[in-house]
Amino acid sequence: MGLLDFARNIGTKLFGNEEEAPAKITQHIEDNNPGVSGLNVEVKDGVATLSGQAESAEAREKAILMTGNTAGIESVVDNIEAPASAEAVSYYEVQSGDSLWKIAEKTLGNGADYQKIFDANREVIIDADKIFPGQKLRIPATV
């Protein structure tokens, strides 16, 4: 699927060293509240392991993306319990020169639908003008 592999040297800079990574990533996820309770984060050699209980498959996916789109993380081991997904979801890796408009044109067929992608990734991208090459986004089939 590719969801659990990320580019280690890009992304949001949350921590300075791996010892502080679990607390910083946990705080980042909890601050943006995608819907995961009992969250536990462990990080070793760029691999983050997540566990906890998600209220939905979407919440689980967002926690994984928020973690993986962090500088210093190259893969995520998902041990989060979540209900089965009710919708088909694909993932898009942002390319150099992309904007949400261009991504919407490529994935949804209409650039004007960029807001739907932003809304589906609100906890992941926070600011629609601040996406970066290598970042992974959720593209729900029914947005």
Side-chain angles (χ1 to χ4, degrees):
M1 171 187 343
L3 171 61
L4 304 178
D5 296 322
F6 296 85
R8 185 174 186 161
N9 297 322
I10 61 166
T12 305
K13 179 108 169 110
L14 294 179
F15 56 88
N17 61 58
E18 206 165 83
E19 291 77 35
E20 64 185 27
K24 297 290 187 174
I25 292 170
T26 299
Q27 188 66 51
H28 175 60
I29 293 171
E30 290 176 349
D31 285 351
N32 292 289
N33 192 22
V36 178
S37 60
L39 178 65
N40 183 53
V41 178
E42 296 175 16
V43 177
K44 181 164 176 55
D45 299 327
V47 177
T49 302
L50 303 180
S51 60
Q53 180 67 46
E55 63 188 31
S56 66
E58 178 180 348
R60 176 188 147 271
E61 293 159 1
K62 288 180 178 183
I64 293 167
L65 290 172
M66 292 168 74
T67 302
N69 287 325
T70 299
I73 302 299
E74 69 182 53
S75 65
V76 177
V77 175
D78 170 29
N79 292 326
I80 297 175
E81 295 178 29
S85 182
E87 65 181 350
V89 176
S90 61
Y91 298 92
Y92 179 84
E93 185 172 328
V94 177
Q95 304 299 308
S96 181
D98 271 347
S99 65
L100 287 182
W101 185 281
K102 289 179 182 178
I103 295 168
E105 283 179 332
K106 292 176 192 177
T107 61
L108 303 176
N110 184 352
D113 286 337
Y114 76 92
Q115 187 66 42
K116 293 177 182 178
I117 294 174
F118 178 70
D119 290 342
N121 290 279
R122 188 166 298 278
E123 297 86 352
V124 177
I125 57 179
I126 312 296
D127 182 338
D129 294 326
K130 294 184 180 177
I131 61 172
F132 51 86
Q135 184 176 29
K136 290 189 180 180
L137 303 175
R138 301 177 70 250
I139 309 295
T142 55
V143 287

